[in-house]
Amino acid sequence: MTAHVCEHAPLIIDIAGLSLSEADRRRLQHPLTGGIILFGRNWKDRRQLSELCAEIKSLRQDLLICVDHEGGRVQRFKADGFTHLPPMRALGELWIKDQLAATNAATACGYVLGAELRACGVDFSFTPVLDLDFGASGVIGDRAFGRDPRVVTLLAKSLMHGLLQAGMANCGKHFPGHGFVKADSHTDIPVDKRSLKAILADDAAPYEWLNTTLTSVMPAHVIYPKVDARPAGFSEKWLTFILRGHLGFGGAIFSDDLSMAGARLIDGKEVSYTEAAVTALNAGCDMVLLCNQSVGEGKPVDELLDGMAEALVKGQWEALESSEMRRLDLLPTTPAHEWDELMLHPAYMHAMGLIP
């Protein structure tokens, strides 16, 4: 471990290209940087990805290398041997025909997803989606297992069991539920006008049922005005009182991407990335993500790093050891298989036969 252990490194940032520039190296070595999220533009082939991950770890072993890799249309790496995983709805459809086959298929998907990423040096994927499919949300759609929170819970638990077998943590998203609203929080600020009672009985139920299994959660950039005027990811009521207090969740909380439209307006006013990050941390997030801002000069990333350092000195947010421990707990602790070895591994070959 590096000397970062007792500090709190809450920022998850990205890089522009296929390898690290001098600016990337400087940003990743910043004491407030806790991880990196990879995108399709950071991928050429498996060898390049493995070299990039090794380069990141050579700077700091404790950096968490993350990616959005769910299956279906949200899968960053699809070529050079990576398995095309089905959207989660396919597992929900299998459940209707054969419940036990569906849970096995979900575990197989989780294992293959985790094992392939780890063979290339990636630590963590933001999966599974726990949103319910009400048929209204285009941005969620087939990313959801289904409409019934019990089915979603059991299939997600099976998928997380597969991730665990591959030595990977998990992330339930988007708390308390993004499936009911039509608007897309990437480009809009969705508003869900249901009561807290209705949301807890339905969308948020998987978070309580999975509180022994979930290692991290990502809240939605959605406003639930009957509960709080702020989007869930900036709401102490949602994160500290409801998710941690009422639903018993003890793992890490990531903000969703601070560059999304749903994160740019808090309490009716436009905020900077630093203000958004400080608000998210004070509401109960352990880590905050800023995505796709490293392209070009990457000035927004530098502004966030400088702004957060200044805000820390001014006492506007607190570096919490508990948050840092939650971040470090997401790093894999078991050795990963090399790719060629994985391809011949009995557990992997078995799992491949179960994926629908």
Side-chain angles (χ1 to χ4, degrees), residues 1 4-10 34 62 64 169 215-216 244 250-254 285-287 318-333:
M1 270 302 161
H4 294 269
V5 171
C6 283
E7 295 165 22
H8 176 190
D62 74 302
L64 184 69
T215 46
S216 71
R244 290 214 187 281
I253 302 177
F254 289 92
C285 286
D286 299 294
M287 283 164 283
E318 202 183 338
L320 298 173
E321 200 171 336
S322 56
S323 287
E324 184 63 355
M325 285 168 70
R326 288 190 191 109
R327 180 183 78 83
L328 295 172
D329 278 348
L330 297 175
L331 289 161
T333 54

Side-chain angles (χ1 to χ4, degrees), residues 227-241 279-280 283-284:
V227 183
D228 195 347
R230 288 182 170 182
F234 302 101
S235 162
E236 187 181 21
K237 192 165 184 187
W238 273 117
L239 301 183
T240 303
F241 301 127
T279 305

Side-chain angles (χ1 to χ4, degrees), residues 100-153:
L100 293 174
T103 58
N104 274 346
T107 300
C109 285
Y111 177 74
V112 168
L113 188 161
E116 289 182 354
L117 288 175
R118 289 205 57 211
C120 295
V122 178
D123 297 321
F124 180 80
S125 174
F126 292 105
T127 191
V129 168
L130 298 180
D131 299 315
L132 306 184
D133 182 11
F134 289 90
S137 170
V139 72
I140 302 303
D142 67 359
R143 294 167 66 193
F145 290 102
R147 168 64 187 87
D148 184 335
R150 296 165 302 175
V151 175
V152 169
T153 299

Side-chain angles (χ1 to χ4, degrees), residues 5-341:
V5 171
C6 283
E7 295 165 22
H8 176 190
L11 304 182
I12 310 288
I13 61 175
D14 63 8
I15 61 167
L18 298 171
S19 58
L20 298 182
S21 66
E22 277 312 304
D24 294 327
R25 289 171 166 273
R26 173 176 53 74
R27 290 169 190 147
L28 291 173
Q29 285 172 305
H30 193 289
L32 294 183
T33 301
I36 178 170
I37 177 166
L38 301 173
F39 288 94
R41 66 171 183 276
N42 307 127
W43 158 266
K44 188 178 88 176
D45 53 37
R46 273 200 340 263
R47 182 175 170 183
Q48 168 270 327
L49 178 65
S50 301
E51 286 171 358
L52 174 60
C53 291
E55 199 182 357
I56 293 163
K57 291 289 182 177
S58 73
L59 296 178
R60 271 174 54 196
Q61 280 292 320
D62 74 302
L63 286 172
L64 184 69
I65 303 176
C66 316
V67 68
D68 269 329
H69 203 82
E70 302 166 6
R73 62 196 152 102
V74 181
Q75 182 173 333
R76 301 294 178 228
F77 317 133
K78 294 179 181 167
D80 202 13
F82 266 93
T83 302
H84 281 242
L85 295 161
M88 296 303 99
R89 179 184 285 166
L91 297 169
E93 287 167 349
L94 182 57
W95 172 275
I96 296 163
K97 296 182 206 140
D98 185 337
Q99 294 174 355
L100 293 174
T103 58
N104 274 346
T107 300
C109 285
Y111 177 74
V112 168
L113 188 161
E116 289 182 354
L117 288 175
R118 289 205 57 211
C120 295
V122 178
D123 297 321
F124 180 80
S125 174
F126 292 105
T127 191
V129 168
L130 298 180
D131 299 315
L132 306 184
D133 182 11
F134 289 90
S137 170
V139 72
I140 302 303
D142 67 359
R143 294 167 66 193
F145 290 102
R147 168 64 187 87
D148 184 335
R150 296 165 302 175
V151 175
V152 169
T153 299
L154 290 167
L155 289 174
K157 193 165 193 171
S158 300
L159 184 105
M160 293 189 286
H161 181 60
L163 289 172
L164 184 65
Q165 288 174 335
M168 188 175 278
N170 59 65
C171 182
K173 61 188 188 185
H174 305 82
F175 175 79
H178 198 315
F180 191 76
V181 287
K182 248 195 189 75
D184 176 356
S185 53
H186 292 84
T187 52
D188 216 336
I189 302 176
V191 177
D192 185 336
K193 294 181 176 166
R194 292 176 299 162
S195 68
L196 177 60
K197 190 178 170 192
I199 296 164
L200 288 178
D202 213 2
D203 302 61
Y207 292 88
E208 184 169 24
W209 291 329
L210 293 167
N211 67 18
T212 57
T213 317
L214 280 169
T215 46
S216 71
V217 161
M218 179 179 283
H221 287 326
V222 175
I223 297 173
Y224 307 85
K226 296 235 169 94
V227 183
D228 195 347
R230 288 182 170 182
F234 302 101
S235 162
E236 187 181 21
K237 192 165 184 187
W238 273 117
L239 301 183
T240 303
F241 301 127
I242 298 172
L243 181 59
R244 290 214 187 281
H246 181 68
L247 302 178
F249 174 68
I253 302 177
F254 289 92
S255 81
D256 205 342
D257 173 17
L258 296 179
S259 72
M260 286 162 61
R264 305 312 316 276
L265 206 64
I266 302 173
D267 301 335
K269 72 179 182 77
E270 273 208 40
V271 292
S272 68
Y273 293 141
T274 298
E275 289 167 321
V278 166
T279 305
L281 293 173
N282 288 334
C285 286
D286 299 294
M287 283 164 283
V288 294
L289 277 84
L290 184 65
C291 302
N292 301 317
Q293 301 306 305
S294 62
V295 182
E297 296 289 299
K299 257 175 63 182
V301 184
D302 292 326
E303 282 167 14
L304 179 65
L305 289 166
D306 294 344
M308 290 302 285
E310 191 182 326
L312 183 60
V313 172
K314 288 182 177 167
Q316 291 168 355
W317 67 280
E318 202 183 338
L320 298 173
E321 200 171 336
S322 56
S323 287
E324 184 63 355
M325 285 168 70
R326 288 190 191 109
R327 180 183 78 83
L328 295 172
D329 278 348
L330 297 175
L331 289 161
T333 54
T334 56
H337 293 293
E338 297 280 329
W339 187 274
D340 292 343
E341 178 198 341

